[in-house]
Amino acid sequence: MATNLITEAGYQSLKDELDWLWREERPEITRKVTWAASLGDRSENADYQYNKKRLREIDRRVRYLRKRIEDLRVVPYSPTQEGKVFFGAWVTIINEEDTSKKFRIVGADEIYDRKDFISIDSPMARACIGKCAGDEIVVRTPTGDAYWEVTEIEYSEAEDAPRFIKP
């Protein structure tokens, strides 16, 4: 089960998507369905069938977003987090082969379409929580334990924070 945490930017992105679906996309599709239905035979009307399907998809997503937004808890940045890895941190780690990774620990609702965001529920994030720069972390993987060192921790709101972009 996913943890119900989200960053402020992620929360705003979900609210923006809900607002866009409800105020712009749904009314437009409803107009198309009404227009296509006025043409007559609905069983062979591709415009009607496609837009009716799209309307069901929108309604499903709106229901999901309303329920999800209600259940989420926004975790704001706090200056007391500085120096340790907590929710919302940008973390840079390095392993023995000098392979470096940089990622941000966020909620499960924010990781989609982002290769540099990981869920707070992931084994890597769980291993990093509470660590300081210079600390070693052990990540349990199916192939054995992986050892990493935390090299950098930042709490800046990146310019590329999750934002809803109209399709």
Side-chain angles (χ1 to χ4, degrees):
M1 182 162 182
T3 305
N4 289 332
L5 302 177
I6 194 164
T7 63
E8 292 173 342
Y11 185 77
Q12 188 59 50
S13 177
L14 291 180
K15 285 180 60 177
D16 290 347
E17 179 184 359
L18 176 60
D19 187 56
W20 177 77
L21 284 170
W22 189 250
R23 294 179 190 271
E24 294 181 37
E25 180 75 358
R26 192 176 192 288
E28 180 183 330
I29 297 299
T30 302
R31 280 191 293 279
K32 289 179 181 178
V33 167
T34 304
W35 170 80
S38 73
L39 298 177
D41 187 9
R42 296 175 187 174
S43 65
E44 295 184 19
N45 187 330
D47 278 333
Y48 177 81
Q49 291 176 354
Y50 171 78
N51 287 305
K52 197 70 168 156
K53 179 182 176 215
R54 178 67 184 131
L55 194 56
R56 285 190 301 270
E57 292 168 355
I58 292 169
D59 288 344
R60 188 175 317 118
R61 182 69 177 163
V62 164
R63 277 191 306 275
Y64 171 79
L65 287 172
R66 282 185 175 158
K67 182 165 180 7
R68 190 67 183 145
I69 287 171
E70 188 177 290
D71 293 341
L72 289 171
R73 192 179 97 210
V74 177
V75 179
Y77 165 75
S78 170
T80 60
Q81 295 174 319
E82 287 295 331
K84 285 195 173 195
V85 178
F86 291 108
F87 186 82
W90 284 95
V91 182
T92 305
I93 58 175
I94 192 166
N95 65 7
E96 296 165 345
E97 291 85 35
D98 286 336
T99 303
S100 179
K101 294 183 184 280
K102 182 175 182 174
F103 51 82
R104 184 172 189 203
I105 299 173
V106 296
D109 297 286
E110 301 175 80
I111 61 173
Y112 302 103
D113 296 331
R114 294 296 304 259
K115 295 189 186 312
D116 58 345
F117 281 15
I118 65 170
S119 170
I120 184 71
D121 300 315
S122 70
M124 179 71 79
R126 291 288 182 196
C128 289
I129 295 295
K131 301 294 185 198
C132 300
D135 287 353
E136 182 176 79
I137 62 169
V138 180
V139 181
R140 310 246 183 259
T141 67
T143 59
D145 292 347
Y147 297 91
W148 297 83
E149 180 184 340
V150 177
T151 58
E152 190 178 347
I153 303 164
E154 297 176 65
Y155 281 97
S156 61
E157 191 65 39
E159 294 174 9
D160 56 12
R163 287 187 179 83
F164 173 69
I165 299 170
K166 295 179 188 178

